[in-house]
Structures are given as C-alpha cells and as structure tokens.
Amino acid sequence: MASSKSLMDFLQPAKRLKLSSTPSDNSKPIQNVSLLSESLSTVADAELTSDQKQRIDFNKFLAKSKRNLKVCSQRVSKSKGEDVSYVKLEELLVEESWLEALPGELKKPYAKSLCEFVGKEICGGPAPIYPPQHLIFNALNSTPFDRVKAVIIGQDPYHGPGQAMGLSFSVPEGVKVPSSLDLGMK
C-alpha cells in the first residue's frame, strides 16, 4: 500500500545543493546564471531523486508565479501614479503559457465588452470589486496552462475587503475564513 502524504509534505522547502568554491575540473569559476543553471541541471539529472526534481519544478513554478504577481502589482501601481483608475484586463494576464493558449481572446467582442464593464465598475461602480485589480487573473498567472488538470468556474461569495485573492475557496494567510467558505473546517 502506498504511503499517504499530507499537503505539508509537498510544501517543504527543497534541500540546497552545495557548490564547491573550486571547480573540480580546474576550469574558470561559473560566471553567469545560465552556466550555473546548466551545471545544476546536469547535477539534477545525474544525482537527484524524483522527489527532489519535483521540488525543483515546484520552486520554479512558485518563483514564476511570484514574478507574475509582481508584474501585475507594478502595472496597477504605475497606473495609479499616472492617474488612471484601472489597468485594462488584457494587461493583467501575464503568464506566457496562457497568452499562448488564448491568443487574442481578450481582443474578441465579448471580451472587450466584459473588459469595458469591469473597467467602469472599478472606476466608480456602486459596489467594491473583489479581488483587487492585480489579483484578477491570479489563478491563471499562478498556474501554467500545461499544468491545469481541471477548471472549476463559480462565484466565491466574499463579504469584505482583504478576503478575495483570485483563487477559489481561499483567503490570504492571516485572514479569517468567511462563513461562506467555512464548510465544516472547525
């Protein structure tokens, strides 16, 4: 019988590889990141377990997700600095794999209409819009297209600011889970 693992087993940080300060083949020290990356991938292929390789992949995806979030946050901040009330939706989808999978989708008439509606609501609609602009495509920007196994589309009822984060059935760490999501988690 296979051993069961908890979610925390998958989220443990990967062990760091130690690089010797003097290369064993008496060549020049590694000077740039691409050479270091090639060197580590060679080590990874030869000496790492499949679990370690999975952790490396996970950490790469996590780093890319954080970069995408930073790009979106910067675009929203820049627009506020330029006295623009909102960033166009097509500028908030930054994950390359989704852009390749959905080329021009946000340019189609239905999407343009939706983008205009969301823009008007953000600029002065009667109700607040959740999640914040930089998190509108958080689910897509956090997950490469080829890693998606299923998509669940629905409306998450969030009752207050700071709860919605663009990911279904979740709230940011440190935020009390709203009653609409508290389904027997006590």
Side-chain angles (χ1 to χ4, degrees):
M1 183 170 144
S3 65
S4 62
K5 291 186 177 184
S6 72
L7 184 57
M8 291 309 294
D9 292 328
F10 291 102
L11 298 178
Q12 296 300 317
K15 293 180 182 176
R16 303 278 182 211
L17 292 175
K18 292 184 181 179
L19 298 176
S20 66
S21 58
T22 57
S24 59
D25 63 356
N26 294 327
S27 63
K28 293 182 182 179
I30 296 174
Q31 296 292 325
N32 64 39
V33 175
S34 64
L35 287 176
L36 178 60
S37 178
E38 288 175 26
S39 174
L40 289 176
S41 67
T42 303
V43 170
D45 290 340
E47 299 175 12
L48 299 178
T49 67
S50 63
D51 185 47
Q52 289 170 321
K53 290 176 186 178
Q54 287 176 342
R55 287 182 183 193
I56 289 170
D57 284 342
F58 175 79
N59 287 333
K60 285 180 187 177
F61 291 127
L62 184 60
K64 194 170 183 187
S65 172
K66 288 179 181 181
R67 180 203 65 91
N68 290 342
L69 177 60
K70 184 177 180 181
V71 167
C72 290
S73 296
Q74 289 172 337
R75 289 182 180 177
V76 170
S77 294
K78 182 180 175 186
S79 73
K80 289 179 181 176
E82 297 172 350
D83 290 330
V84 178
S85 300
Y86 75 101
V87 177
K88 294 179 181 177
L89 289 182
E90 60 265 20
E91 294 176 22
L92 294 174
L93 180 58
V94 297
E95 169 55 43
E96 293 93 3
S97 62
W98 282 100
L99 294 171
E100 290 171 11
L102 304 172
E105 197 65 29
L106 293 175
K107 304 275 187 219
K108 293 182 178 178
Y110 81 91
K112 284 184 178 182
S113 176
L114 177 62
C115 291
E116 288 174 17
F117 173 77
V118 171
K120 287 177 186 173
E121 292 297 309
I122 289 171
C123 289
I129 303 297
Y130 302 125
Q133 285 186 70
H134 70 285
L135 295 175
I136 287 175
F137 287 120
N138 194 19
L140 301 181
N141 287 332
S142 297
T143 309
F145 179 77
D146 63 331
R147 303 282 295 198
V148 173
K149 303 292 184 218
V151 176
I152 300 171
I153 298 175
Q155 179 180 352
D156 280 344
Y158 293 99
H159 301 289
Q163 294 176 333
M165 57 187 288
L167 301 173
S168 294
F169 312 110
S170 64
V171 293
E173 190 174 328
V175 174
K176 184 180 182 292
V177 175
S179 60
S180 60
L181 297 180
D182 188 15
L183 305 171
M185 300 176 95
K186 294 177 183 177

